[in-house]
């Protein structure tokens, strides 16, 4: 049973790593979360599945149609070892309201969230922004686009998303590592600024 | 940007072995015992694994190579996260595994952690 990955491909963390931190990469379906995580991760991105069932009711459901009542929610994530002792995990989190179970799990212990938005489909970002705010996760907005845009659009996006003046808004090409890293750096600087 | 590789957000679950069989009927954990980023590896002097269920032996085999997060263990084994947490919890209580807990919630806004994240990102990508 080949469950153990090959030892030489960097699957395992360095022995010295003591601390794990987590940042959420959130946004509506197909906004580029998976691309962003793939761009930044040091390991091939992994996918986990949360089975959405009522806890403890599995036994009673034995006579039901198999698979009828459960739904799985897939999450992609990646890993970045940032120092000898610290590893950062990036979790892509679906933005649908009905996945609150997943959000409770994901938001616990998160440093903050990067909200990827598509400037052509801003209204699709409303549910995920409601969730981020509901769970009190500090966030920055990353506008996923490929080209430079005129500055006046920043104000339009801020207004459409009803952002607070201090909420960072940064351009980000999720395919580009430097651009994606810059979006994360913007978020972390914002998290730092909230401490002062 | 559209990403064709992004997973469908929901799909019918058709596991080969139902979760409640793998976990011997135990319900899913609903506490902070294991988070997605709790780091796990095998204990130095772990007991014999002969009597363990095959799923638990698979987890131990995976964990024997070094530290991995709970999420990575779920990703590599393709077991649902809730199931993995239960199995890891059992194995830890039985002395097979040791864990490194994630940062306590009270320390999340710790200046030092944010500073370390920032420096790490800048050093790698700046």
């Amino acid at each position: 049973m080949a469950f153990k990955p090959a030892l030489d491909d960097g699957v395992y963390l360095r022995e010295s790593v003591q601390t794990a931190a987590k940042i959420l990469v959130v946004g509506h379906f197909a906004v580029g979360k998976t691309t962003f995580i793939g761009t930044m991760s040091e390991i091939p991105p992994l996918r986990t599945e949360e089975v959405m069932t009522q806890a403890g009711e599995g036994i009673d459901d034995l006579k039901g149609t198999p698979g009828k009542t459960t739904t799985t929610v897939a999450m992609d994530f990646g890993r970045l070892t940032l120092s000898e002792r610290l590893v950062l995990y990036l979790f892509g989190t679906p933005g649908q309201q009905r996945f609150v179970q997943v959000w409770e799990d994901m938001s616990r212990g998160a440093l903050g969230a990067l909200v990827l938005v598509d400037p052509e489909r801003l209204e699709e970002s409303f549910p995920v922004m409601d969730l981020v705010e509901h769970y009190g996760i500090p966030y920055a907005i990353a506008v996923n686009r490929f080209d430079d845009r005129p500055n006046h659009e920043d104000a339009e996006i801020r207004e459409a998303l009803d952002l607070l003046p201090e909420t960072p808004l940064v351009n980000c090409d999720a395919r580009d590592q430097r651009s994606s890293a810059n979006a994360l750096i913007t978020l972390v600087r914002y998290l730092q600024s909230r401490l002062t | 940007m559209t990403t064709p590789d992004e997973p469908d957000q929901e799909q019918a679950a058709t596991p080969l072995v139902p979760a409640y069989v793998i976990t011997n009927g135990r319900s899913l954990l609903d506490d902070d015992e294991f988070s997605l980023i709790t780091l796990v590896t095998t204990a130095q002097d772990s007991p014999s694994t002969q009597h363990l269920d095959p799923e638990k032996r698979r987890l131990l085999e995976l964990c024997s190579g070094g530290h991995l997060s709970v999420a990575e263990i779920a990703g590599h084994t393709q077991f649902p996260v809730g199931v993995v947490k239960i199995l890891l919890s059992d194995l830890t209580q039985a002395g097979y595994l040791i864990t490194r807990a994630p940062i306590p919630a009270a320390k999340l806004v710790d200046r030092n952690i944010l500073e370390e994240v920032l420096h790490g990102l800048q050093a790698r990508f700046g």
Side-chain angles (χ1 to χ4, degrees):
Chain A
M1 298 189 190
F3 268 82
K4 190 172 175 181
L7 284 171
D8 58 351
D9 56 3
V11 163
Y12 294 100
L13 288 163
R14 280 184 220 159
E15 192 59 35
S16 58
V17 170
Q18 296 289 329
T19 307
K22 174 169 76 172
I23 286 177
L24 308 186
V25 179
V26 306
H28 61 73
F29 179 63
V31 75
K33 300 185 292 288
T34 304
T35 303
F36 185 98
I37 289 164
T39 298
M40 295 305 298
S41 180
E42 69 194 15
I43 56 170
L46 289 164
R47 185 164 294 177
T48 65
E49 292 188 342
E50 291 272 11
V51 180
M52 311 290 282
T53 52
Q54 279 72 53
E57 292 182 9
I59 297 297
D60 297 327
D61 284 348
L62 269 175
K63 57 181 180 292
T65 310
K68 184 189 67 172
T69 57
T70 56
T71 299
T72 62
V73 182
M75 289 177 297
D76 289 328
F77 68 98
R79 187 180 88 191
L80 267 172
T81 302
L82 290 180
S83 74
E84 284 297 312
R85 55 173 289 275
L86 180 72
V87 63
L88 175 69
Y89 288 93
L90 299 175
F91 281 90
T93 312
Q96 288 90 333
Q97 289 277 7
R98 63 186 181 281
F99 297 147
V100 289
Q101 213 176 308
V102 169
W103 271 76
E104 279 167 20
D105 206 18
M106 298 295 294
S107 61
R108 206 181 302 136
L111 295 175
L114 195 63
V115 181
L116 293 188
V117 304
D118 178 342
E120 308 301 324
R121 298 190 291 165
L122 287 177
E123 68 288 347
E124 291 184 41
S125 297
F126 296 157
V128 75
M129 294 193 54
D130 286 345
L131 281 166
V132 171
E133 287 174 3
H134 175 77
Y135 286 98
I137 308 166
Y139 63 93
I141 303 291
V143 183
N144 192 13
R145 59 162 75 225
F146 320 129
D147 47 0
D148 291 331
R149 72 202 145 115
N151 281 333
H152 69 267
E153 276 194 32
D154 272 7
E156 288 172 14
I157 291 169
R158 284 188 167 281
E159 190 179 346
L161 296 178
D162 198 18
L163 299 184
L164 293 172
E166 62 267 29
T167 301
L169 178 74
V170 63
N171 266 339
C172 169
D173 180 346
R175 300 166 304 178
D176 182 83
Q177 196 173 61
R178 182 166 288 207
S179 174
S180 299
N182 181 57
L184 282 177
I185 287 169
T186 301
L187 169 64
V188 176
R189 283 193 195 282
Y190 170 62
L191 299 175
Q192 286 181 317
S193 74
R194 297 171 80 249
L195 297 181
T196 54
Chain B
M1 187 168 74
T2 301
T3 52
D5 59 336
E6 193 154 328
D8 288 337
Q9 300 292 8
E10 67 180 301
Q11 60 202 33
T14 52
L16 290 175
V17 181
Y20 52 79
V21 173
I22 296 177
T23 62
N24 291 324
R26 273 185 62 184
S27 59
L28 301 183
L29 301 177
D30 192 26
D31 55 31
D32 293 331
E33 190 175 355
F34 282 90
S35 83
L36 287 166
I37 59 170
T38 299
L39 304 181
V40 180
T41 192
T42 46
Q44 289 280 339
D45 304 308
S46 69
S48 162
T49 62
Q50 281 188 350
H51 63 286
L52 291 177
D53 299 336
E55 290 81 11
K56 287 183 177 174
R57 287 209 299 270
R58 288 179 201 171
L59 287 189
L60 286 175
E61 189 191 352
L62 174 64
C63 294
S64 66
H67 279 89
L68 289 172
S69 64
V70 170
E72 285 169 287
I73 293 165
H76 287 305
T77 58
Q78 299 184 335
F79 291 153
V81 172
V83 171
V84 167
K85 286 180 177 176
I86 292 169
L87 297 178
L88 293 177
S89 171
D90 285 353
L91 288 167
T92 302
Q93 281 172 18
Y96 292 100
L97 295 174
I98 53 172
T99 63
R100 286 176 184 164
I103 309 162
K107 292 199 73 181
L108 273 176
V109 290
D110 190 304
R111 207 173 292 276
N112 295 333
I113 288 167
L114 290 175
E115 192 77 9
E116 209 169 329
V117 171
L118 182 64
H119 284 162
L121 288 170
Q122 287 172 330
R124 280 189 58 158
F125 306 106

